[in-house]
């Protein structure tokens, strides 16, 4: 007797966040991708498909260790190596990869997202720009993983962003914040030299973030 698709809730959330990325202009068309981990399985957006047309059954489930598809009608995103590497190397629960305009523009100019705002403390400090590598390759996954060391997000040079968190809602919120931080730097730098926060202040803000909001555990 069939109980329906496995991880239905997680796959529905992947579809919802993918559609929201398009609506919020963090991606264009079928670019960018989203995944969430549940134990040894990862639900991830498929390759080159209109997100508005996705059904739960379309969303691939892949094994974390091997990347093998165990359920789902469509082929996983070409960026599956990045997603699996983020889970294996950094122990996160969700990954959001965008092609957001301002972050990508900043990647053409800088090697990091400078401390223009205390919100960077939520990422663990100044966000690094990973060196360019061809999309979908193991080399790109390695560059991303290096840039993510001690951080919750990075920018991929000439490409976009990767943001991680314990859950998909928080990862998506960070993706929005990272794009805003990049836009802030670009806006200020057009008219002058932005004044930056110091490491000590970012550390103080990181401590405050640890008990921020309703969940103080």
């Amino acid at each position: 007797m069939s109980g329906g698709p496995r991880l239905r809730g997680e796959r529905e959330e992947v579809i919802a966040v993918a559609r929201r990325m398009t609506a919020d202009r963090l991606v264009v068309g079928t670019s960018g991708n989203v995944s969430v981990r549940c134990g040894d399985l990862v639900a991830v957006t498929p390759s080159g498909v209109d997100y508005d047309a996705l059904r739960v059954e379309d969303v691939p489930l892949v094994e974390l260790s091997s990347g093998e598809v165990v359920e789902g009608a469509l082929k996983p995103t070409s960026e599956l190596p990045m997603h699996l590497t983020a889970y294996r190397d950094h122990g996160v629960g969700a990954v959001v990869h965008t092609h957001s305009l301002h972050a990508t523009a900043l990647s053409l100019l800088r090697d990091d997202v400078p401390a223009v705002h205390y919100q960077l403390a939520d990422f663990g400090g100044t966000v690094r720009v990973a060196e360019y590598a061809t999309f979908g390759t193991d080399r790109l996954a390695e560059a991303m993983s290096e840039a993510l060391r001690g951080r919750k997000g990075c920018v991929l040079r000439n490409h976009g962003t990767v943001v991680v968190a314990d859950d998909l809602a928080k990862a998506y919120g960070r993706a929005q914040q990272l794009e805003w931080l990049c836009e802030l730097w670009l806006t200020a730098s057009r008219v002058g030299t932005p004044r930056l926060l110091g490491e000590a202040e970012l550390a103080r803000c990181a401590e405050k973030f640890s008990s921020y909001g309703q969940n103080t555990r």
Side-chain angles (χ1 to χ4, degrees):
M1 182 175 66
S2 174
R6 280 186 284 178
L7 303 185
R8 175 180 286 276
E10 287 81 358
R11 291 158 94 175
E12 288 174 342
E13 188 178 18
V14 163
I15 294 171
V17 171
R19 290 173 178 169
R20 189 175 174 190
M21 283 200 307
T22 303
D24 291 346
R25 298 181 62 81
L26 296 183
V27 300
V28 176
T30 63
S31 64
N33 27 78
V34 175
S35 69
V36 63
R37 176 182 176 181
C38 186
D40 293 330
L41 293 178
V42 174
V44 61
T45 45
S47 177
V49 177
D50 185 346
Y51 296 139
D52 285 336
L54 280 181
R55 306 167 301 162
V56 169
E57 294 81 4
D58 296 326
V59 176
L61 291 182
V62 303
E63 289 187 346
L64 176 62
S65 59
S66 67
E68 179 184 353
V69 177
V70 298
E71 192 172 301
L74 301 176
K75 183 173 67 174
T77 172
S78 60
E79 298 293 8
L80 184 62
M82 269 204 316
H83 288 258
L84 297 183
T85 297
Y87 291 121
R88 294 168 186 160
D89 290 358
H90 303 282
V92 298
V95 177
V96 172
H97 167 46
T98 80
H99 286 187
S100 50
L101 174 63
H102 296 97
T104 306
L106 179 141
S107 80
L108 312 180
L109 303 169
R110 292 191 57 92
D111 294 327
D112 64 9
V113 181
V116 289
H117 193 277
Y118 64 78
Q119 193 69 39
L120 272 160
D122 185 47
F123 291 86
T126 54
V127 172
R128 305 180 187 102
V129 174
E131 285 307 312
Y132 178 79
T134 305
F135 78 92
T137 62
D138 290 339
R139 179 68 194 101
L140 178 59
E142 292 164 4
M144 172 218 66
S145 187
E146 177 66 19
L148 276 180
R149 277 188 306 105
R151 298 292 187 267
K152 299 299 183 183
C154 69
V155 181
L156 309 175
R157 197 179 308 282
N158 299 82
H159 189 151
T161 73
V162 172
V163 180
V164 299
D166 292 335
D167 59 69
L168 203 42
K170 189 162 188 177
Y172 188 72
R174 282 184 174 143
Q176 291 176 301
Q177 286 286 354
L178 183 52
E179 173 67 354
W180 180 82
L181 287 163
C182 294
E183 183 178 8
L184 175 60
W185 181 83
L186 287 166
T187 300
S189 63
R190 289 190 191 108
V191 294
T193 302
R195 296 184 180 182
L196 305 181
L197 300 175
E199 289 296 325
E201 178 58 18
L202 284 184
R204 279 192 291 270
C205 292
E207 179 63 26
K208 290 177 73 66
F209 272 127
S210 67
S211 60
Y212 181 75
Q214 300 304 309
N215 183 2
T216 58
R217 291 179 298 172

